[in-house]
Amino acid sequence: MNIDIHSHFIPEKFIQMARKGDPSLQVKIEKDLSGNEFMHHDQGYVYPLLKGFFDPDYRIKDMDKARIDIAVLSSAPPLFYYWVNSELALKVAALINNSIKEVVDTYPDRFAGMGTIPMQDTDLAVNELKRCVNDLGFKSVQIGSNIEGKQLDDPQFLPFFKACSELGVLVTLHPYYVGAKGALGKYYLTNLIGNPLDSVVAAASLIFGGVLEKCPNLKVCIVHGGGYFPYQFGRLEHGYKVRNEPKINDAKSPRSYLNQLYFDSILFDSDALDYLVKFAGIDHVVMGTDYPFDMGETSPVDFIESMGGSLEKQKSILGKNAAKLLGI
């Protein structure tokens, strides 16, 4: 069974609200000269409103072409809404989570759900987390790799991570750069370099900030192959040994927490994937696509099979690990 643990979803109800011009959503749907629709977020992020975002039947056809049996649906990152008031953020999160649940219930053999959380309000975040688990049956949630500039080691977020640890929920970290960011404004570097950079900052914050130490049962998945984290891990280890700053929160060495970290396979380079498996262990790598964004992997099964190794090794990444993490 091949499981895509990293694919994105936009509810049709949200799209209808945007079409009606709901100003609170801070998004417009506009057409280009060829008649193609695009989502224009006020924060600066623009992307095509592809049918795969909201049409399950269309998505299933793409899944069949890519040999994907089950896709885990998660919010498109521009819909995190950490930048608005808590009430609106909860409204959007609940809409997304309920819509994902409807799709999962309609196609239980093809989809699983990953919740989204209003992280700017810890009480609401914990409540929506519990609803996702207890009422909707989700085994995982997706959050940003930072919350409007606040890193994940901020004390505000610790109750949320403790709740995830206690509930056995997998937390997936996803960057959500929107628009130009300083020196990364050219050449789409906000995504090409900014996203993997944001991921390694998030991972280091969870480690050196003592979050993983305080939440020993917490499981975290870092998308896009872990960003730069696996490939500069030696630098983090060395820094922990020779500097005092990484020790101020009584964290152990970074290597002590690798058993809590998981990584998806979106790397586009078989040598990089081989290294990731060697670094993290075969049981800690899962298949992802980033569907339907253009920075996604369109042939993930072919990519994983191209890395070689035993059939059992490939099966672990293709679906066995994800099935164990998510109870599929």
Side-chain angles (χ1 to χ4, degrees):
M1 180 167 55
N2 299 332
I3 301 173
D4 174 12
I5 202 170
H6 179 180
S7 69
H8 296 298
F9 174 79
I10 300 176
E12 194 161 4
K13 291 178 183 177
F14 179 92
I15 295 169
Q16 292 171 355
M17 292 167 64
R19 290 193 194 284
K20 292 177 181 178
D22 186 336
S24 68
L25 298 183
Q26 303 174 25
V27 62
K28 297 179 181 66
I29 299 176
E30 299 179 356
K31 292 184 179 181
D32 64 10
L33 295 177
S34 300
N36 301 309
E37 290 190 316
F38 282 75
M39 298 283 279
H40 289 254
H41 292 266
D42 288 0
Q43 288 76 20
Y45 199 49
V46 180
Y47 53 96
L49 181 55
L50 301 172
K51 204 170 183 180
F53 275 121
F54 59 87
D55 187 328
D57 293 312
Y58 183 91
R59 180 189 287 254
I60 287 171
K61 291 178 182 177
D62 281 348
M63 290 166 59
D64 290 342
K65 292 176 185 175
R67 293 191 286 154
I68 295 170
D69 298 305
I70 294 177
V72 182
L73 303 179
S74 62
S75 169
L79 273 61
F80 283 159
Y81 279 86
Y82 300 148
W83 48 90
V84 300
N85 65 73
S86 300
E87 182 180 351
L88 176 58
L90 177 60
K91 177 182 176 182
V92 173
L95 170 63
I96 293 169
N97 294 334
N98 292 342
S99 298
I100 289 175
K101 174 63 172 173
E102 290 175 8
V103 174
V104 172
D105 286 348
T106 304
Y107 306 88
D109 295 331
R110 302 309 304 267
F111 296 110
M114 180 179 289
T116 189
I117 304 294
M119 290 295 293
Q120 65 267 63
D121 187 310
T122 303
D123 290 339
L124 293 183
V126 172
N127 288 340
E128 186 62 11
L129 167 70
K130 291 179 178 178
R131 190 180 77 89
C132 283
V133 174
N134 298 326
D135 297 347
L136 305 184
F138 296 168
K139 303 291 186 182
S140 59
V141 295
Q142 175 189 246
I143 67 171
S145 48
N146 69 76
I147 312 301
E148 286 300 282
K150 283 188 178 181
Q151 297 304 320
L152 300 181
D153 60 337
D154 191 292
Q156 171 185 341
F157 307 126
L158 185 58
F160 168 79
F161 288 118
K162 284 187 173 180
C164 290
S165 179
E166 292 166 2
L167 291 168
V169 173
L170 174 70
V171 178
T172 294
L173 307 183
H174 199 296
Y176 70 107
Y177 273 122
V178 284
K181 295 287 184 179
L184 302 181
K186 293 182 179 180
Y187 319 123
Y188 201 48
L189 297 185
T190 52
N191 185 298
L192 303 184
I193 291 177
N195 279 4
L197 176 61
D198 225 30
S199 291
V200 71
V201 173
S205 296
L206 290 176
I207 291 171
F208 296 141
V211 177
L212 297 184
E213 179 68 21
K214 294 170 185 173
C215 304
N217 296 319
L218 182 65
K219 293 182 174 62
V220 176
C221 180
I222 308 171
V223 299
H224 310 135
Y228 301 127
F229 179 80
Y231 319 99
Q232 288 294 326
F233 183 77
R235 189 173 183 85
L236 297 179
E237 274 280 294
H238 179 77
Y240 180 84
K241 293 174 183 176
V242 302
R243 301 290 305 187
N244 292 324
E245 294 92 334
K247 304 183 182 75
I248 61 173
N249 292 301
D250 297 322
K252 298 184 178 71
S253 72
R255 193 168 299 279
S256 303
Y257 305 105
L258 286 182
N259 66 316
Q260 293 177 252
L261 302 179
Y262 294 79
F263 308 88
D264 77 15
S265 61
I266 305 174
L267 285 164
F268 310 107
D269 183 280
S270 57
D271 289 338
L273 182 59
D274 281 334
Y275 176 77
L276 177 61
V277 171
K278 181 180 179 181
F279 166 78
I282 190 63
D283 295 334
H284 283 250
V285 181
V286 291
M287 183 174 71
T289 64
D290 220 342
Y291 179 94
F293 286 108
D294 57 5
M295 285 301 295
E297 173 58 71
T298 56
S299 302
V301 177
D302 293 343
F303 174 56
I304 290 167
E305 290 179 345
S306 72
M307 68 180 288
S310 67
L311 182 61
E312 188 61 29
K313 178 180 178 181
Q314 293 175 4
K315 283 183 176 180
S316 293
I317 300 174
L318 288 170
K320 185 178 177 182
N321 295 338
K324 183 177 180 181
L325 278 172
L326 304 178
I328 297 175

